[in-house]
Amino acid sequence: MSQKLETLKLENNDVISELPQEVLSQMISLLPLKEAVRTSILSKSWISKWTTHLDIVCDIESIIGFLSDEHTYEDFLEIQDKTEKFVERVDHIIQQRCKGPKLNSIYISFPLSGKDESQIASWIYDAVAMGVKSIYFDSTGGSDFVIDASLGVPTFPFSVLTAFDKACTVQRLWLFSCSLGPLSISDTLASLVNVRFDSVNFTDEQLDAMICNCLFLEKMVLINCPNLVNFKLTSKGSRLRFLDLQGCDGLKYIELYAENLEILEYTGQTDCFSFKHVPKLAEVYLRFYGKKRAECTTFALSRIAAHIPRLETLKINVRWAVLQPGVIPTLTNIVNLVLTGCPRYDEYKLCWINCILKAFPFLNKLQLNLFISSSIRQSEMNDGHLPEVTHANLRELEINGYHGSLQQVELLKFLVNSAVKLDLLMISPLAKEYQGSDDWFYREIAGNTLSLEKIEELRSIVPRTVQVIYYNL
C-alpha cells in the first residue's frame, strides 16, 4: 500500500515547475505568445509565468482568431466590430506583461485608425517602459481590409520613445501605414540602429529631426512615403551604413554627405542625385521607372562615375537601349555588375553587351537577369559583324532566364569568346528578381525550359576549361 502511495506521489509531482526560473523563462519564450498565455490555467504557480515571455505578438490570428480572406462587405463590418475586442485584449496582455522582466520586442498588426491613437500610445509607452528593443507596428493588420478613410491612419507616438528620463532602449523600429507624431530636435534617440518606414506620412522637417536625433542609426529603409520631397543626409559623423529609398514618388532631390555609407539602393523616378561625400560607398542598386527612366539611368551612371570612386558593385534594372557607346561612361572601379531587364524585340541586339565589356574593363563578375519568355516570337539577329572584344578580367558569368533562344545562344558565344579568363558559368531558365538587402528570389517564366538538347548545345559552346553549373531546373 505504501509503495502505491509513493508511486502516485511521484506521478503527480510537477517536475517542470521545479526547474530553475531561467530555464522556465527560456521555455516560455520558445512558445508563441498565445500558447504561453494559455499556460496560466495550469495551476496557481503558473498564472504569471507567461509574463517572462520576451516577445509580445498582437495580430489578427493571435488575438481575435482567424478571419476570412474573402474581403466582402460583411468582413469589413466584422473587423470593425472586433476592433474594440482587440484593443481590450491587448490592453490586458500588456498590463499583465508589465509585471514581468524586460521586453525584447512588441509586434502590433491589426486594422487600426486615428480613433485608436490613445490606445496605441499607451501600448508603446508601456513597451518602452519595459525596455523594449524592437517595435513593429502595422495599422493594416497585413490584410486588404480598408478602414473608413474619414478616420484617417493612426499617428505613431514618436515622442513616447523619449518620454523617460532614462535612455531609450529601442534599437529597431518598423512602421507600416501610419503618420509620424511630432519629434523635437532636442530629443535624443541614440539607441535606434535600424529604421524601416513603409507607407508612412512624414515631412522633410520630421525626417531631418529624426536623422539629427538618431546618432547611431546604421540602416534606414523608406518605402512609399508620399510626402517626402527632399532627402538630405548631411549630418557629419553619421553612422548610416545602409540606405534604401523605394517608390517615394514625391521625392525630387537626394543629397548625401555620409562618410560611413556603404550600400545605397534606390527605386523611383528622380535623377537629382548629389553625392557630396560618400568615401565608403561600395555597392549601389538602381531601378528607375516612369517616362524618363532612360534619362535617369544615364544621369545616375554619370554621377556614379564622377563621384563614387570606390564603388565596386553595381546592380541596375535597365533598358538595353540605354547601353550604347558614348552613353555609358567608363567605370574602372566596378568589379561586380548585375544587369536586370526585359529587352524588347528591337533591343535584343549584341551591341549592348559589347558596350558593357568596354565600359567595365575590370569587371570580375557579371550577372544577367533576362525576363523574356521563349514562347514570344523574337526578331532575327541583325548585328552584322561585331568587333572582337577581349576582356581579361571577367571570371564569373551568371545568366538567369536562359532558355536557349537564337539571341541568347549568340550572346553566350560572344561572352565566352570575349572573356578569355572565364572560370565559372552559371545558367538557369528561372527569372531572378531582387527584393532588396541582397535578397533574391526565383520564379518561373512561362514557356522557359532548358531541355537536354539545349544543355548539349551549351556544352558545345563553352570551353572545357570553364566550369558550368545548371541550377534551379
Side-chain angles (χ1 to χ4, degrees), residues 168-209:
C168 179
T169 58
V170 180
Q171 298 177 1
R172 184 176 184 180
L173 180 62
W174 285 29
L175 305 180
F176 185 87
S177 190
C178 63
S179 295
L180 280 189
L183 179 66
S184 171
I185 197 69
S186 61
D187 293 331
T188 300
L189 291 170
S191 62
L192 271 181
V193 176
N194 186 328
V195 169
R196 180 186 179 99
F197 294 163
D198 191 335
S199 304
V200 175
N201 298 324
F202 59 88
T203 64
D204 293 355
E205 291 74 18
Q206 286 176 301
L207 180 63
D208 290 342

Side-chain angles (χ1 to χ4, degrees), residues 260-465:
N260 290 300
L261 188 65
E262 298 175 4
I263 301 175
L264 170 65
E265 299 190 353
Y266 175 77
T267 300
Q269 304 182 68
T270 186
D271 61 352
C272 294
F273 291 89
S274 178
F275 300 106
K276 294 288 186 181
H277 183 61
V278 285
K280 295 183 180 180
L281 187 55
E283 181 176 326
V284 169
Y285 169 81
L286 297 172
R287 185 173 75 84
F288 295 98
Y289 54 79
K291 295 180 180 180
K292 295 183 178 181
R293 59 186 181 274
E295 293 87 342
C296 289
T297 302
T298 302
F299 175 81
L301 289 175
S302 66
R303 301 293 288 182
I304 286 172
H307 299 287
I308 314 181
R310 293 191 179 182
L311 187 67
E312 296 181 352
T313 298
L314 177 61
K315 305 171 185 177
I316 186 167
N317 283 53
V318 66
R319 291 183 59 181
W320 293 166
V322 176
L323 306 177
Q324 299 295 332
V327 177
I328 302 292
T330 301
L331 293 99
T332 57
N333 49 314
I334 303 295
V335 295
N336 184 15
L337 177 64
V338 180
L339 290 178
T340 301
C342 180
R344 300 184 315 191
Y345 306 137
D346 57 341
E347 292 177 344
Y348 215 127
K349 310 294 183 180
L350 291 186
C351 57
W352 64 269
I353 194 62
N354 188 23
C355 173
I356 288 296
L357 295 181
K358 290 182 177 180
F360 299 87
F362 293 97
L363 195 62
N364 183 264
K365 299 178 182 179
L366 173 61
Q367 180 182 142
L368 301 176
N369 301 319
L370 310 175
F371 291 84
I372 188 166
S373 173
S374 61
S375 61
I376 298 177
R377 182 185 62 82
Q378 299 176 29
S379 61
E380 295 296 325
M381 301 295 295
N382 188 27
D383 283 300
H385 294 287
L386 285 172
E388 291 185 5
V389 177
T390 299
H391 199 288
N393 295 289
L394 185 60
R395 292 183 175 275
E396 295 184 20
L397 174 62
E398 178 179 341
I399 304 179
N400 299 293
Y402 184 92
H403 50 79
S405 67
L406 175 62
Q407 291 86 347
Q408 290 181 346
V409 170
E410 292 301 317
L411 168 64
L412 184 58
K413 286 181 180 179
F414 184 79
L415 281 169
V416 297
N417 289 334
S418 300
V420 293
K421 293 185 178 180
L422 189 65
D423 296 322
L424 176 64
L425 171 64
M426 294 174 283
I427 292 283
S428 173
L430 302 179
K432 188 175 182 179
E433 298 185 19
Y434 192 58
Q435 298 186 113
S437 302
D438 203 29
D439 185 15
W440 297 85
F441 77 97
Y442 293 87
R443 67 174 177 83
E444 294 184 359
I445 302 178
N448 279 21
T449 58
L450 197 54
S451 64
L452 292 176
E453 180 182 354
K454 293 297 182 181
I455 291 177
E456 289 299 324
E457 184 180 28
L458 272 172
R459 291 171 178 166
S460 66
I461 296 172
V462 181
R464 293 183 178 181
T465 56

Side-chain angles (χ1 to χ4, degrees), residues 10 98 122:
L10 289 173
C98 286
S122 176

Side-chain angles (χ1 to χ4, degrees), residues 46-92:
W46 279 80
I47 289 178
S48 61
K49 287 191 185 298
W50 73 267
T51 60
T52 62
H53 203 291
L54 298 177
D55 305 292
I56 293 179
V57 178
C58 300
D59 56 15
I60 291 176
E61 184 175 358
S62 62
I63 302 299
I64 300 298
F66 179 76
L67 291 179
S68 172
D69 288 333
E70 297 178 2
H71 307 308
T72 62
Y73 185 69
E74 288 75 18
D75 292 322
F76 173 77
L77 293 178
E78 179 185 5
I79 204 166
Q80 294 302 303
D81 293 338
K82 291 185 176 181
T83 299
E84 184 176 344
K85 184 180 295 185
F86 176 85
V87 171
E88 179 182 340
R89 292 182 179 178
V90 174
D91 279 341
H92 177 74

Side-chain angles (χ1 to χ4, degrees), residues 145-175:
F145 290 103
V146 181
I147 297 296
D148 186 349
S150 64
L151 299 176
V153 296
T155 297
F156 182 83
F158 216 110
S159 59
V160 169
L161 303 183
T162 58
F164 297 86
D165 293 334
K166 60 183 181 180
C168 179
T169 58
V170 180
Q171 298 177 1
R172 184 176 184 180
L173 180 62
W174 285 29
L175 305 180

